[in-house]
Amino acid sequence: MRVLVTGAAGSIGTVVCAGLLERGYDVAGLDMASEPEGFTGSWFTVDCGDPDAVSAVFGKLDESGRLDAVVHLASIPDEAALPVILESHVHTTAALLDAMVEHGVNRIVFASSNHAVGRTPRTDLLRAEVPPRPDTFYGVGKVAAEALLRLYADRYAIDALAARIGSFLPEPESRRHLSTWLSHDDAVRMVHACLTAPDPGFAVLYGISANTRAWWDLEPGRSLGYEPEDDAESFAARVEQAPETETDRVEAAHVGGPFVTEAYYRPALEGA
Ligand code: 15L
């Protein structure tokens, strides 16, 4: 299967590209950064918020065979002014979706985030059907990008999978991470499942490992074939060596943890 991975030089992109290449995928990497040393697929140094540049990449790929899917991981992974967020999450997704329609590419896997529903109080296991409830402009960007996926899935019958990723890290570092961790290997398993699930249409899943203390429902992922194998619990003894703090308690109150706190409050257009 031939896939275009955006944000291929980023933290999750590097891991996902290596994992997909190892599984035999034909990977084209796209990033604003130049090709990392040792990358074995093809590479495009391009801003995926630029629709002409994106269309040119799809045209170039067409010359050497069929592109099967896009894995859209490029974006600012943190809070920023609203216009910057919209450019980073929504414009890039729109440019890719338009190019997909133009070039007949039928599947996109999008790195959404738990922060799309981050303001949801943490009580029962969080289901994929909960209404959008962003905790930041970052979360607003993810909600809007998910809405775009839904629109293109309905209009053009594109398979569009939004993985609301938790805490993608080599190892959990805090009490919250014991619930929200997504291991490197599970991230690859998740993307592989999203790329190969038969006829998923539009789907939302939570991107976490098989954490004993998971706050979010793994069933939507499992129904797509995502079987996580890692569990943050293996790191619990180390993480819990330090006594529980007020920060831990605040982070446990809402899905989005720290992003819900006043430290993240800012005017939407400040610094734009
Ligand atoms: C995310 O979506 C962010 O990109 C990352 O910075 C973390 O905040 C992560 O979620 C998380 O919730 O731990």
Side-chain angles (χ1 to χ4, degrees):
M1 186 186 277
R2 193 155 184 240
V3 296
L4 174 68
V5 179
T6 74
S11 61
I12 187 160
T14 309
V15 169
V16 165
C17 283
L20 293 181
L21 284 163
E22 219 175 277
R23 283 171 186 259
Y25 283 81
D26 178 357
V27 177
L30 184 156
D31 205 294
M32 283 185 346
S34 46
E35 181 171 350
E37 213 173 300
F39 187 81
T40 53
S42 47
W43 190 266
F44 299 91
T45 303
V46 158
D47 175 359
C48 59
D50 174 346
D52 294 333
V54 168
S55 177
V57 168
F58 277 66
K60 190 93 196 133
L61 285 168
D62 274 351
E63 288 168 16
S64 50
R66 185 188 141 77
L67 180 66
D68 297 294
V70 173
V71 179
H72 183 25
L73 307 175
S75 77
I76 299 171
D78 212 337
E79 181 62 318
L82 185 61
V84 176
I85 288 291
L86 295 179
E87 171 71 33
S88 172
H89 303 277
V90 187
H91 295 191
T92 58
T93 305
L96 289 162
L97 285 166
D98 278 344
M100 286 171 62
V101 171
E102 190 188 338
H103 293 266
V105 180
N106 219 42
R107 184 170 303 214
I108 182 165
V109 182
F110 171 62
S112 186
S113 168
N114 71 91
H115 298 290
V117 289
R119 195 82 203 192
T120 314
R122 206 187 55 69
T123 48
D124 304 330
L125 195 68
L126 186 76
R127 310 277 172 203
E129 302 78 31
V130 291
R133 200 161 175 183
D135 51 22
T136 41
F137 303 126
Y138 172 77
V140 168
K142 294 301 189 188
V143 170
E146 284 189 10
L148 262 184
L149 296 186
R150 172 93 253 189
L151 177 67
Y152 277 65
D154 286 338
R155 277 188 178 167
Y156 305 108
I158 281 175
D159 291 321
L161 301 101
R164 292 181 182 157
I165 294 175
S167 308
F168 172 78
L169 294 163
E171 293 182 1
E173 292 164 7
S174 69
R175 279 179 161 72
R176 174 174 182 267
H177 294 162
L178 296 178
S179 303
T180 63
W181 186 52
L182 174 65
S183 75
H184 283 191
D185 288 346
D186 281 338
V188 176
R189 287 183 191 107
M190 181 186 73
V191 171
H192 171 62
C194 289
L195 287 169
T196 51
D199 301 321
F202 173 76
V204 172
L205 63 148
Y206 289 107
I208 52 172
S209 286
N211 303 324
T212 302
R213 306 184 200 191
W215 290 343
W216 311 328
D217 192 4
L218 272 164
E219 267 326 296
R222 290 208 164 102
S223 70
L224 295 163
Y226 169 47
E227 281 300 337
E229 291 181 17
D230 296 320
D231 184 344
E233 209 57 25
S234 335
F235 302 91
R238 197 203 63 215
V239 170
E240 289 182 325
Q241 250 168 19
E244 192 175 11
T245 63
E246 185 51 25
T247 304
D248 292 322
R249 280 185 281 278
V250 167
E251 290 192 358
H254 291 86
V255 168
F259 280 30
V260 170
T261 63
E262 282 189 25
Y264 282 80
Y265 291 15
R266 53 180 289 167
L269 303 178
E270 187 181 73

